[in-house]
Amino acid sequence: MKNFTIIVISSLLALIFFEFFLKNSPFEYGISAAEYDKEIGMWHKKNFENYIVEACYKTKYSYNELGLPSNIDPYDPNKKDVIILGDSFIEARMVKNENIIHNSSAKEFNYKYNFMNYGLFGSGPTQQLVILQKKIDLNNTKYVIQFIELEGDLLDVDSKNLSSMARPKVFVEFDNLDKYTIIPPRERTLYDTVSDKLSYYQIYPFIKRTIYSLKNALLDKKVEPIEKHDILTKEIDLSKNWLYLKGAIYQIDKLIKSVNSEIKYKVIIRSKSKKNKAIIKKFLNKQNIKFIFLDEVAESMNIKLEGFSCDNHWNDKAHQDVAKIIKNTGFIL
Amino acid sequence: MLFNSYEFIFAFLPITFFIYFYLNHKRLTEASKGFLVFSSLFFYSWWNITYLPIILSSMLFNYVLGNTLHNRKKKRFNFSKKSLLIFGIVANLTLLGYFKYFDFFIENFNLLFSTNAELLHLILPLAISFFTFQQISYLVDSYREETKEYDFLNYALFVTFFPQLIAGPIVHHKEMMPQFANRKNKIKNYKNIAIGLFIFSIGLFKKVVIADTFAVWATQGFDVATTLTVVEAWRTSLSYTFQLYFDFSGYTDMAIGAALLFNIKLPINFNSPYKATNIQEFWRRWHMTLSRFLKDYIYIPLGGNRKGEFRTYNNLLATFVIGGIWHGAGWTFIFWGFLHGMALIIHRIWNKLGLRLWSWFAWFVTFNFINITWVFFRAKEWDDALRVLGAMFNFTNISININAEQLIYIALFLTLIFFKNSNEIIKINFSKNIRVALTTFLFIVSLLQLTNIMIQADKVSEFLYFNF
């Protein structure tokens, strides 16, 4: 019993030391930016700042009282809001706060609007629809800009593609464009509570990655059943995914118009597939929703949107360039 | 198989340990030795089985030759003992030279004669530098009739015993064979097991927590960064200085710890080398078994210090240039050996003149000399070495921000200078509880970091001296 106690105490001290070691060594992970949210599944920690660390960057990020990436200019109720929706490319923890798209846009438009970044990693159009419903007050809004990455978002709208290791997420299932059901994230469990507590320590991402690696090694396969490049290279039936994606865009447009018909909704699309572009183009034209294909506009402006070498997310310059593109296209006046 | 791998720690080591002592418990002594040799060869082959025939044929060749050298009084052959010994040494060096130095020779031949001979691109068989030196020493000992064991199984165990097979310590036949033969060593010794696990945990901690952390900073400076500020350059060189010490001494601790589980005491290889206050003392503290080999089998046979002062200098220089090239086939290694040889000559002259330095200043000069010469040892190309060295002495842009990383450097400096080394720590008479607590702490932290390295870099890091 005495030996057992010694071993337990020593192991706990080892864990404390390891946390300190991770925090002060090149093996730093950073601290999880999200916590459980009963409506979306996960949301950014509020009034929180930390570092995101990968091989090619170590960037300090910060979230405000709403859990949004901080603004360089304080919120002014006398100015109209511009809501930006998107995934981790838009949330952009790896980019210096002052250069993230909402702050770059604020600079481009000389601080004329309150640019608010509702980008959330791992979110697709269906989650963004719920974010718009539950988190955003549209009463002072003039523009809603949604970034869609077709190949990734076609996966994100389907709950089957949610990894068992991922945080809980809300989903929306459509029978047709008008009829849908919100599948709320699962109830908060002890696992979520413990995760949220642990997520303030470096050891949390370490444990998650260890379990993820072990699962992959033991199952000898990736956890995700479909990967992004599969959409480009294989013949997969995505009719349901397309319905969900189109349904989300349709409902976002409908919601905005129901609040105020003066609010302008614009969609900015990234895609490597001509076939997918053709499908979405036909749909958006039919719904009379304004859109651009980002890569085509960037090319016409001689802009190359570059990403980080280690994970492809847009770098600081790319965010500044996207802000220029938004201004150049006249999306926002 | 690597000491810092799950398969070694949780499968190979415990399985080998239990079967070895089970066979001894059943009084199957020869079978237990045979099992240990088999396990060691399995350990060797885990990485690449292709080179198993090389170590087996090398062992057989040296065993037969060693036996022949020892039995020369029986006059079965017409060759003189000396010619047999020379033949044995040349054969061993040819094998080593073919695998390790042939491409280096071709490269220089091409450069010198403007030819275009193709390189062989041979992969260096694991541990060849170590088992070659070990067996050369066995041949010389046989020639001097200082060996007594002539059973092939014992000889095979001496060469292949897995804790020391890959990267030393380079052991003498006479210090190993009596231990393998000692009956007391066939019984599990719980005190040795406790101390062995403690040393093994210290070594694992040194390797995966300390050395692999410094490896990240050293690699960044030497292989990734194109320009370095003066602070970054010093950080790079110091990182490698720390990495090399903690990596190799960590490996040695793990080897000593693993061997002690089998009641075998391996010689110590490091004794706080960075505490040295002169270069001669450094070589008495760094890779001690290599220094012993170079002294006994190169420096003394060349004449040592018995043939006048000038020959002594020549012998010192030759010994260290050979030591340099033993570490790697490259001019940077040769130059590193040359610098150390020159430093030893200067130190000898300094002493002859009766000059003295304050001890802290002597330490400062010695440590910085070692740190600077490691730059040549680490750099893949001359240009890399010159880039780092140039930046270390370019004081035009100095900005120092004290952060956690710098504090780690300062803490390690203080540890290296004032703290006891692992050989001294294990001699401390800890209570059983403290030893269990320390072993658990070091082992758990090391395992966590081992997992961390695997998931962040997707592989377990090799030991530096595996390349030599």
Side-chain angles (χ1 to χ4, degrees):
Chain A
M1 190 61 195
K2 195 177 172 187
N3 270 355
F4 179 75
T5 312
I6 290 169
I7 287 169
V8 169
I9 292 170
S10 306
S11 302
L12 286 173
L13 288 173
L15 280 174
I16 294 165
F17 177 87
F18 189 60
E19 171 68 24
F20 173 81
F21 170 76
L22 284 179
K23 202 173 172 183
N24 296 290
S25 76
F27 300 98
E28 183 181 6
Y29 284 94
I31 288 175
S32 175
E35 60 189 358
Y36 181 85
D37 181 280
K38 65 176 191 281
E39 289 164 333
I40 315 297
M42 59 174 169
W43 191 246
H44 301 131
K45 291 171 178 167
K46 289 164 188 164
N47 294 317
F48 180 75
E49 60 178 36
N50 209 266
Y51 287 91
I52 180 167
V53 187
E54 284 296 337
C56 59
Y57 53 74
K58 178 179 177 180
T59 312
K60 191 176 187 178
Y61 62 87
S62 64
Y63 296 135
N64 63 19
E65 66 283 358
L66 298 172
L68 306 182
S70 303
N71 290 71
I72 47 173
D73 57 326
Y75 186 83
D76 182 350
N78 298 317
K79 294 180 194 169
K80 287 286 184 183
D81 297 346
V82 177
I83 305 296
I84 303 175
L85 300 170
D87 58 10
S88 57
F89 273 67
I90 305 310
E91 171 199 66
R93 272 179 294 155
M94 59 293 296
V95 173
K96 270 188 200 156
N97 183 265
E98 66 191 58
N99 295 327
I100 303 176
I101 191 160
H102 63 289
N103 283 326
S104 287
S105 298
K107 283 184 242 173
E108 281 292 330
F109 287 92
N110 206 20
Y111 306 101
K112 188 178 171 185
Y113 301 105
N114 298 307
F115 282 87
M116 300 172 81
N117 185 339
Y118 281 85
L120 177 69
F121 66 94
S123 73
T126 47
Q127 287 84 32
Q128 287 151 19
L129 167 64
V130 183
I131 290 172
L132 201 64
Q133 289 173 339
K134 309 281 185 185
K135 300 269 182 204
I136 301 173
D137 177 7
L138 286 168
N139 286 316
N140 190 40
T141 301
K142 186 160 186 187
Y143 296 97
V144 173
I145 297 179
Q146 185 177 23
F147 283 81
I148 290 180
E149 198 261 308
L150 276 181
E151 285 72 42
D153 287 346
L154 280 167
L155 290 181
D156 285 333
V157 293
D158 187 354
S159 60
K160 281 182 188 155
N161 289 317
L162 183 67
S163 153
S164 58
M165 291 298 297
R167 285 179 174 274
K169 224 177 357 180
V170 64
F171 283 92
V172 186
E173 291 183 357
F174 288 82
D175 295 327
N176 55 53
L177 293 180
D178 276 309
K179 192 180 173 198
Y180 65 90
T181 314
I182 292 178
I183 315 293
R186 59 172 164 69
E187 288 292 310
R188 188 189 190 101
T189 61
L190 178 66
Y191 173 81
D192 297 315
T193 309
V194 172
S195 290
D196 283 351
K197 297 277 182 214
L198 275 178
S199 74
Y200 285 88
Y201 301 97
Q202 303 273 332
I203 209 153
Y204 175 71
F206 165 73
I207 293 169
K208 278 198 89 166
R209 285 208 207 179
T210 304
I211 297 170
Y212 186 83
S213 304
L214 266 175
K215 270 195 167 178
N216 276 348
L218 294 174
L219 300 174
D220 198 26
K221 62 174 184 181
K222 296 276 178 201
V223 174
E224 293 85 2
I226 308 176
E227 288 191 48
K228 218 191 275 188
H229 63 83
D230 291 343
I231 292 178
L232 294 169
T233 56
K234 293 177 186 170
E235 280 296 320
I236 301 167
D237 178 15
L238 293 169
S239 52
K240 189 178 75 178
N241 304 55
W242 273 113
L243 174 62
Y244 291 3
L245 187 136
K246 287 175 185 175
I249 295 171
Y250 176 82
Q251 288 297 333
I252 289 173
D253 189 44
K254 197 173 161 185
L255 173 67
I256 291 168
K257 281 176 181 157
S258 72
V259 174
N260 182 348
S261 60
E262 295 296 306
I263 301 173
K264 304 280 188 288
Y265 173 41
K266 320 265 178 164
V267 180
I268 298 178
I269 297 161
R270 290 184 291 134
S271 175
K272 287 177 181 169
S273 159
K274 279 185 183 173
K275 187 180 152 195
N276 291 340
K277 278 182 174 177
I279 295 171
I280 197 75
K281 184 178 180 179
K282 191 177 166 190
F283 170 75
L284 292 170
N285 280 333
K286 192 177 169 189
Q287 301 302 327
N288 204 19
I289 295 171
K290 289 268 186 294
F291 70 94
I292 56 165
F293 290 119
L294 189 59
D295 53 341
E296 291 173 9
V297 179
E299 200 179 330
S300 71
M301 290 173 67
N302 279 328
I303 290 172
K304 191 170 184 285
L305 297 174
E306 291 172 347
F308 287 103
S309 57
C310 56
D311 69 1
N312 283 329
H313 280 102
W314 285 334
N315 62 19
D316 292 54
K317 187 176 173 299
H319 273 256
Q320 292 165 332
D321 286 339
V322 173
K324 280 180 195 155
I325 289 170
I326 291 172
K327 189 172 185 191
N328 192 266
T329 52
F331 253 25
I332 299 173
L333 299 170
Chain B
M1 200 179 289
L2 295 167
F3 286 167
N4 56 330
S5 65
Y6 282 111
E7 57 266 29
F8 178 82
I9 295 169
F10 293 113
F12 178 85
L13 188 61
I15 291 171
T16 308
F17 173 84
F18 285 114
I19 296 179
Y20 174 75
F21 282 108
Y22 175 78
L23 291 172
N24 276 316
H25 178 69
K26 295 284 175 191
R27 296 182 187 279
L28 298 167
T29 313
E30 290 304 297
S32 71
K33 272 188 201 167
F35 172 74
L36 210 47
V37 172
F38 169 79
S39 303
S40 299
L41 291 173
F42 176 82
F43 169 85
Y44 182 81
S45 311
W46 182 261
W47 208 327
N48 190 347
I49 200 163
T50 319
Y51 294 113
L52 182 63
I54 294 174
I55 191 172
L56 285 174
S57 47
S58 166
M59 236 163 38
L60 195 63
F61 170 81
N62 284 296
Y63 171 71
V64 171
L65 200 65
N67 246 351
T68 313
L69 278 168
H70 191 76
N71 292 329
R72 284 305 294 153
K73 283 174 189 164
K74 293 174 186 169
K75 295 274 180 193
R76 281 188 295 186
F77 304 100
N78 293 324
F79 308 111
S80 71
K81 267 180 84 166
K82 197 164 188 173
S83 55
L84 268 180
L85 174 67
I86 290 167
F87 168 69
I89 292 172
V90 168
N92 275 295
L93 292 179
T94 304
L95 182 75
L96 182 63
Y98 175 69
F99 281 105
K100 194 164 178 174
Y101 304 109
F102 211 72
D103 274 353
F104 178 61
F105 172 76
I106 294 172
E107 271 174 16
N108 286 285
F109 186 86
N110 282 341
L111 203 67
L112 206 60
F113 299 104
S114 302
T115 54
N116 201 18
E118 277 197 30
L119 302 181
L120 301 180
H121 295 295
L122 295 167
I123 297 170
L124 188 68
L126 195 59
I128 192 168
S129 305
F130 287 91
F131 68 69
T132 303
F133 267 32
Q134 197 162 319
Q135 294 189 104
I136 287 175
S137 72
Y138 169 75
L139 291 183
V140 175
D141 285 354
S142 297
Y143 172 79
R144 292 170 180 165
E145 307 212 351
E146 290 171 0
T147 54
K148 284 172 186 166
E149 285 283 347
Y150 296 100
D151 174 79
F152 182 67
L153 195 57
N154 283 334
Y155 179 76
L157 191 53
F158 153 67
V159 178
T160 64
F161 183 49
F162 72 86
Q164 52 84 45
L165 171 61
I166 308 293
I170 301 169
V171 289
H172 261 160
H173 185 264
K174 58 191 170 197
E175 69 194 352
M176 296 302 285
M177 284 311 179
Q179 295 193 70
F180 289 131
N182 191 339
R183 284 189 176 185
K184 280 185 188 168
N185 290 345
K186 312 282 180 202
I187 304 161
K188 273 197 289 270
N189 181 324
Y190 289 100
K191 191 181 171 197
N192 280 348
I193 292 169
I195 296 172
L197 289 175
F198 184 41
I199 306 172
F200 188 88
S201 300
I202 293 174
L204 188 61
F205 184 89
K206 277 169 145 182
K207 164 64 185 163
V208 298
V209 178
I210 305 178
D212 286 350
T213 300
F214 282 106
V216 176
W217 291 320
T219 304
Q220 174 68 26
F222 275 106
D223 302 337
V224 181
T226 47
T227 54
L228 295 166
T229 64
V230 64
V231 174
E232 287 166 347
W234 279 94
R235 185 183 83 156
T236 299
S237 69
L238 286 170
S239 290
Y240 185 67
T241 296
F242 290 139
Q243 182 200 352
L244 187 61
Y245 169 69
F246 285 107
D247 188 283
F248 195 19
S249 73
Y251 173 88
T252 307
D253 288 344
M254 290 164 86
I256 290 171
L260 203 56
L261 298 180
F262 297 85
N263 299 321
I264 301 297
K265 286 183 181 161
L266 294 180
I268 62 165
N269 226 5
F270 293 90
N271 186 19
S272 301
Y274 293 153
K275 286 180 185 173
T277 53
N278 63 60
I279 192 69
Q280 189 182 40
E281 190 189 353
F282 171 76
W283 279 104
R284 284 180 183 150
R285 291 167 173 263
W286 177 274
H287 203 175
M288 293 151 76
T289 57
L290 176 69
S291 304
R292 180 177 69 178
F293 179 91
L294 293 174
K295 188 184 97 188
D296 290 351
Y297 298 101
I298 297 175
Y299 177 68
I300 290 174
L302 282 172
N305 60 3
R306 303 184 306 274
K307 299 192 175 175
E309 211 47 28
F310 187 68
R311 269 295 292 276
T312 305
Y313 300 151
N314 274 342
N315 295 340
L316 276 173
L317 199 57
T319 304
F320 275 85
V321 168
I322 290 168
I325 203 164
W326 176 84
H327 282 89
W331 286 106
T332 49
F333 285 109
I334 295 170
F335 187 61
W336 170 81
F338 171 81
L339 288 176
H340 275 259
M342 288 302 293
L344 277 156
I345 293 168
I346 291 166
H347 172 253
R348 197 174 167 85
I349 294 169
W350 187 270
N351 271 352
K352 283 253 169 203
L353 295 172
L355 300 169
R356 290 284 176 270
L357 286 175
W358 297 303
S359 59
W360 65 268
F361 188 65
W363 169 82
F364 182 78
V365 171
T366 307
F367 180 80
N368 279 292
F369 171 78
I370 292 158
N371 180 46
I372 288 165
T373 51
W374 283 143
V375 173
F376 291 100
F377 193 83
R378 167 62 174 79
K380 286 178 181 163
E381 307 286 344
W382 279 105
D383 288 348
D384 292 336
L386 297 177
R387 180 173 54 84
V388 174
L389 282 171
M392 283 167 76
F393 295 99
N394 179 5
F395 296 103
T396 50
N397 179 20
I398 305 174
S399 63
I400 299 171
N401 302 314
I402 296 292
N403 55 25
E405 195 183 299
Q406 265 97 34
L407 291 175
I408 290 171
Y409 275 90
I410 293 165
L412 264 171
F413 252 122
L414 297 175
T415 306
L416 284 170
I417 306 309
F418 296 109
F419 206 65
K420 290 179 186 298
N421 62 42
S422 39
N423 313 313
E424 293 161 338
I425 289 170
I426 57 167
K427 284 177 190 159
I428 298 173
N429 198 17
F430 288 121
S431 71
K432 187 191 152 206
N433 292 343
I434 301 257
R435 182 167 287 149
V436 169
L438 285 172
T439 306
T440 309
F441 176 84
L442 294 169
F443 192 66
I444 297 285
V445 173
S446 304
L447 283 186
L448 288 168
Q449 173 60 357
L450 188 57
T451 311
N452 189 31
I453 291 168
M454 278 197 286
I455 58 173
Q456 285 206 32
D458 209 25
K459 67 172 189 142
V460 184
S461 61
E462 292 174 11
F463 288 94
L464 289 176
Y465 258 70
F466 280 24
N467 302 317
F468 303 140

